[in-house]
């Protein structure tokens, strides 16, 4: 009899150990790897860098889970607690892998949660089924609940191992597991400017022209007019693409992409014999372009802030918290997902590099902090071209005018627009203190907007020699001739309303729209639909389809 009891207790312990390990494996190994392989081209880190973080988390969760379950075996409610945990484990496994979780792109854009009510219903039904099965199991199979758990956990773990193994083998064909030598964008020369000649471009991601109009019509309108002293604002600006993947390479090179070749190949080819970079070389500019490495030419040696090397995770704790926030979003029921929704771009905050200056951050709060801490420095000679691509006004909105994120505060697009202006004001004030604001050329712009078709980005310009007065132009601006504008500025010319008018002479303004679907990893953009602006670009009613479409060879673009 004692042997039978001892055998039963040992079986229970083994079941508890297996369930604890299964919980740790699912949440700390399988789920993060599943998310990693599904979005590999959106992440800068490698499997080699990720896996140690996951292993530490797995060991911690598994040990804690196993210890707690073994401790509760001394109480009478132990089978009920074990059964509850077993079916909770089953619920999360099914929820995370078989209930749809396509809520649109994971780029911070506000999700219309109500439109996914069907997912919520599925989550409720699944929870009720698991609760029912748990009750039935405890009533009918109370003495066998541990054996049932042993078989169920073993079965699920085997499925997960086969799944991850298969996906890993498929990914090895196109990706290395180790951290490769990369094109590293650093902070080197970030705030180093020239005393005599500067061309400075701020690309504030997603900052819509309407956002600036709202600031200029708000309570602090005079403050923003004074901030942009010497600038001319062109509210009637038409971009070329609706998201960064299409927009930024075009801004940097002037080459329009029609899905006629793989996107990565287009980015590299677009720099060859490019008029802007020829003008920068000819005029002897020190060139610093601060953006993500995937937008830059991998063989160019003209950037002062680019190095070859590798990124590393600079804060493993915060990095892990974001990894498991992503896991929670995938595995939580619909009703709780909104509390774990994140922008996958947040992982860029944890880039570290041994290169001089450290890794450049796309995060505008990080750039502001770096500016305040280090300040602008001025060389007595030479010419400087600086292009800063920052997060701008990007949903979901996380900071206000002071660029601080306060717990419990809900922020709006207006708040982030004010925060971006605080960043610019600090930069401009330091330029004025150094005596270089007046003779510098400055463009403040966005890669695209965010209202309607995202067709109306912010664009304003201050010519060298201008420092006072703020004007709003009625001229029809288009990013189709932005490259010509940049070349002219580098060559020392002034950009006036007449210049813009001459660029537009006899030409229609065109826009290439596509529906973004998180296609960073795909070789082509989604289907491009050409539009034409017949009037003010900020009014969506003035856009009409021309009938021209451009499909890539990637079947996902159809």
């Amino acid at each position: 009899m004692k042997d039978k009891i001892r055998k039963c207790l040992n079986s229970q312990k083994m079941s508890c150990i297996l369930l604890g390990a299964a919980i740790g494996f699912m949440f700390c190994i399988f789920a993060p790897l599943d998310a990693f392989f599904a979005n590999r081209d959106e992440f800068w880190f490698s499997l080699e860098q990720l896996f140690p973080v996951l292993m530490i988390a797995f060991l911690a969760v598994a040990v804690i889970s196993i210890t707690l379950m073994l401790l509760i075996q001394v109480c009478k409610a132990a089978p009920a607690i074990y059964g509850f945990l077993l079916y909770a484990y089953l619920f999360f496994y099914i929820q995370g892998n078989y209930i749809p979780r396509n809520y649109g792109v994971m780029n911070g854009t506000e999700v219309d949660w109500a439109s996914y009510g069907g997912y919520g219903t599925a989550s409720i039904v699944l929870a009720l089924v698991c609760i029912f099965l748990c009750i039935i199991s405890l009533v009918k199979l109370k003495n066998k609940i541990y054996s049932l758990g042993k078989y169920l956990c073993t079965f699920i773990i085997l499925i997960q191992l086969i799944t991850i193994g298969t996906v890993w083998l498929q990914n090895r064909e196109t990706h290395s597991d180790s951290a490769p030598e990369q094109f590293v964008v650093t902070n080197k020369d970030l705030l180093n400017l020239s005393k005599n000649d500067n061309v400075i471009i701020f690309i504030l991601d997603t900052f819509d022209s309407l956002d600036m109009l709202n600031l200029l019509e708000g309570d602090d309108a005079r403050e923003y007019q004074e901030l942009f002293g010497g600038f001319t604002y062109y509210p009637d600006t038409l971009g070329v693409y609706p998201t960064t993947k299409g927009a930024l390479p075009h801004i940097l090179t002037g080459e329009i992409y029609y899905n006629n070749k793989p996107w990565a190949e287009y980015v590299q080819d677009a720099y060859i014999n490019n008029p802007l970079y020829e003008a920068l070389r000819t005029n002897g500019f020190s060139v610093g372009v601060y953006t993500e490495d995937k937008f830059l030419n991998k063989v160019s040696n003209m950037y002062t802030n680019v190095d070859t090397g590798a990124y590393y995770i600079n804060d493993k704790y915060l990095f892990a918290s974001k990894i498991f926030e992503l896991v929670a979003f995938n595995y939580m029921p619909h009703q709780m997902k909104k509390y774990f929704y994140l922008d996958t771009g947040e992982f860029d905050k944890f880039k570290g590099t041994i290169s001089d200056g450290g890794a450049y951050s796309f995060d505008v709060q990080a750039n502001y902090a770096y500016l305040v801490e280090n300040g602008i420095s001025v060389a007595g000679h030479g010419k400087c071209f600086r292009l800063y691509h920052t997060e701008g006004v990007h949903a979901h909105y996380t900071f206000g005018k002071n660029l601080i994120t306060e717990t419990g505060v809900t922020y709006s697009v207006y708040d982030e627009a004010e925060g971006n202006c605080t960043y610019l004001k600090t930069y401009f004030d330091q330029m004025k203190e150094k005596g270089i604001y007046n003779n510098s050329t400055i463009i403040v712009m966005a890669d695209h907007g965010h209202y309607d078709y995202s067709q109306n980005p912010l664009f304003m310009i201050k010519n060298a020699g201008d420092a006072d007065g703020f004007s709003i132009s009625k001229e029809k601006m288009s990013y189709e001739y932005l490259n010509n504008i940049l070349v002219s500025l580098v060559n020392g010319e002034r950009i006036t309303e007449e210049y813009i008018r001459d660029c537009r002479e006899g030409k229609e303004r065109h826009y290439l729209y596509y529906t973004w679907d998180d296609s960073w990893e795909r070789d082509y953009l989604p289907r491009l639909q050409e539009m034409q602006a017949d009037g003010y670009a900020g009014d969506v009613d003035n856009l009409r389809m021309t009938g021209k479409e451009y499909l890539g060879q990637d079947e996902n673009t159809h």
Side-chain angles (χ1 to χ4, degrees), residues 55 176 217 305 423 504-505 526:
M55 281 302 299
S176 170
E217 294 172 358
N305 65 305
Y423 164 58
R504 188 174 54 84
E505 187 69 33

Side-chain angles (χ1 to χ4, degrees), residues 541-558:
D541 292 334
N542 291 328
L543 293 180
R544 62 178 178 85
M545 296 288 185
T546 66
K548 292 182 179 179
E549 295 185 348
Y550 304 94
L551 299 175
Q553 296 175 22
D554 187 337
E555 64 181 3
N556 291 311
T557 62
H558 290 264

Side-chain angles (χ1 to χ4, degrees), residues 514-556:
Y514 53 84
T515 302
W516 183 238
D517 56 1
D518 243 2
S519 58
W520 280 109
E521 76 282 4
R522 296 177 186 166
D523 288 336
Y524 297 84
L525 289 175
R527 179 181 58 154
L528 300 175
Q529 298 173 280
E530 187 182 73
M531 295 180 172
Q532 183 171 303
D534 294 329
Y536 181 70
D539 186 346
V540 69
D541 292 334
N542 291 328
L543 293 180
R544 62 178 178 85
M545 296 288 185
T546 66
K548 292 182 179 179
E549 295 185 348
Y550 304 94
L551 299 175
Q553 296 175 22
D554 187 337
E555 64 181 3
N556 291 311

Side-chain angles (χ1 to χ4, degrees), residues 145-218:
I145 189 70
Y146 291 99
S147 296
L148 176 63
K150 193 185 302 181
Y151 290 120
L152 182 61
C153 290
T154 301
F155 177 70
I156 292 176
I157 289 173
L158 285 174
I159 292 176
Q160 292 173 335
L161 285 172
I162 293 170
T163 301
I164 286 299
T166 302
V167 175
W168 175 67
L169 289 173
Q170 291 174 343
N171 271 261
R172 286 199 72 186
E173 297 178 5
T174 54
H175 296 88
S176 170
D177 291 337
S178 60
E181 186 172 77
Q182 293 169 289
F183 197 57
V184 178
V185 181
T186 76
N187 282 326
K188 184 179 179 182
D189 292 331
L190 181 76
L191 301 174
N192 293 348
L193 300 177
S194 167
K195 182 179 180 180
N196 302 314
D197 197 346
N198 299 293
V199 176
I200 303 169
I201 304 170
F202 294 92
I203 301 179
L204 309 177
D205 203 286
T206 319
F207 202 131
D208 200 284
S209 187
L210 180 57
D211 296 331
M212 181 55 67
L213 286 174
N214 289 334
L215 292 179
L216 293 171
E217 294 172 358

Side-chain angles (χ1 to χ4, degrees), residues 171-412:
N171 271 261
R172 286 199 72 186
E173 297 178 5
T174 54
H175 296 88
S176 170
D177 291 337
S178 60
E181 186 172 77
Q182 293 169 289
F183 197 57
V184 178
V185 181
T186 76
N187 282 326
K188 184 179 179 182
D189 292 331
L190 181 76
L191 301 174
N192 293 348
L193 300 177
S194 167
K195 182 179 180 180
N196 302 314
D197 197 346
N198 299 293
V199 176
I200 303 169
I201 304 170
F202 294 92
I203 301 179
L204 309 177
D205 203 286
T206 319
F207 202 131
D208 200 284
S209 187
L210 180 57
D211 296 331
M212 181 55 67
L213 286 174
N214 289 334
L215 292 179
L216 293 171
E217 294 172 358
D219 295 336
D220 299 320
R222 182 178 294 278
E223 173 187 335
Y224 293 114
Q225 290 177 6
E226 292 176 355
L227 166 61
F228 296 109
F231 278 83
T232 299
Y233 167 40
Y234 293 85
D236 189 1
T237 294
L238 183 68
V240 173
Y241 296 99
T243 76
T244 303
K245 184 173 181 178
L248 201 67
H250 168 257
I251 291 171
L252 293 173
T253 68
E255 287 290 321
I256 296 179
Y257 178 57
Y258 292 103
N259 267 335
N260 53 324
K261 64 174 70 174
W263 179 82
E265 183 181 328
Y266 145 75
V267 172
Q268 300 310 306
D269 292 348
Y271 284 90
I272 298 173
N273 298 323
N274 185 278
L276 173 59
Y277 294 91
E278 286 298 316
L280 288 167
R281 288 189 186 94
T282 301
N283 288 284
F285 275 84
S286 162
V287 179
V289 178
Y290 302 87
T291 183
E292 295 178 79
D293 57 277
K294 59 191 169 190
F295 298 119
L296 300 179
N297 187 298
K298 299 296 189 292
V299 297
S300 176
N301 59 1
M302 71 180 302
Y303 310 112
T304 65
N305 65 305
V306 171
D307 197 1
T308 54
Y311 292 114
Y312 63 85
I313 300 169
N314 60 18
D315 190 324
K316 288 183 170 60
Y317 176 79
L318 289 177
F319 173 81
S321 72
K322 288 300 176 183
I323 285 290
F324 294 114
E325 189 175 339
L326 180 59
V327 167
F329 177 82
N330 288 338
Y331 277 70
M332 283 293 173
H334 168 80
Q335 291 78 5
M336 297 182 66
K337 287 187 186 293
K338 65 179 67 177
Y339 302 109
F340 301 97
Y341 179 69
L342 80 162
D343 178 357
T344 53
E346 290 185 39
F347 290 102
D348 286 345
K349 297 178 182 179
F350 310 114
K351 278 183 178 179
T353 178
I354 61 173
S355 300
D356 290 347
Y360 175 71
S361 174
F362 176 66
D363 184 71
V364 67
Q365 290 171 289
N367 275 274
Y368 175 70
Y370 190 91
L371 172 63
V372 171
E373 181 179 353
N374 295 281
I376 288 173
S377 61
V378 178
H381 60 278
K383 302 178 180 180
C384 289
F385 178 90
R386 299 287 181 261
L387 184 147
Y388 308 110
H389 177 209
T390 64
E391 188 178 21
V393 179
H394 208 295
H396 54 285
Y397 307 112
T398 58
F399 59 85
K401 187 173 183 177
N402 59 4
L403 286 124
I404 295 175
T405 301
E406 299 181 48
T407 304
V409 177
T410 300
Y411 296 99
S412 67

Side-chain angles (χ1 to χ4, degrees), residues 475-533:
E475 283 302 318
K476 297 183 180 300
M477 169 64 187
S478 171
Y479 279 8
E480 288 181 283
Y481 25 90
L482 178 61
N483 195 254
N484 291 337
I485 290 173
L486 297 181
V487 170
S488 296
L489 290 174
V490 169
N491 287 330
E493 300 177 39
R494 291 177 58 82
I495 302 303
T496 63
E497 292 180 272
E498 290 74 20
Y499 182 101
I500 302 292
R501 193 178 306 125
D502 289 342
C503 287
R504 188 174 54 84
E505 187 69 33
K507 301 175 185 175
E508 302 293 344
R509 294 185 297 171
H510 296 98
Y511 184 67
L512 294 172
Y513 178 73
Y514 53 84
T515 302
W516 183 238
D517 56 1
D518 243 2
S519 58
W520 280 109
E521 76 282 4
R522 296 177 186 166
D523 288 336
Y524 297 84
L525 289 175
R527 179 181 58 154
L528 300 175
Q529 298 173 280
E530 187 182 73
M531 295 180 172
Q532 183 171 303

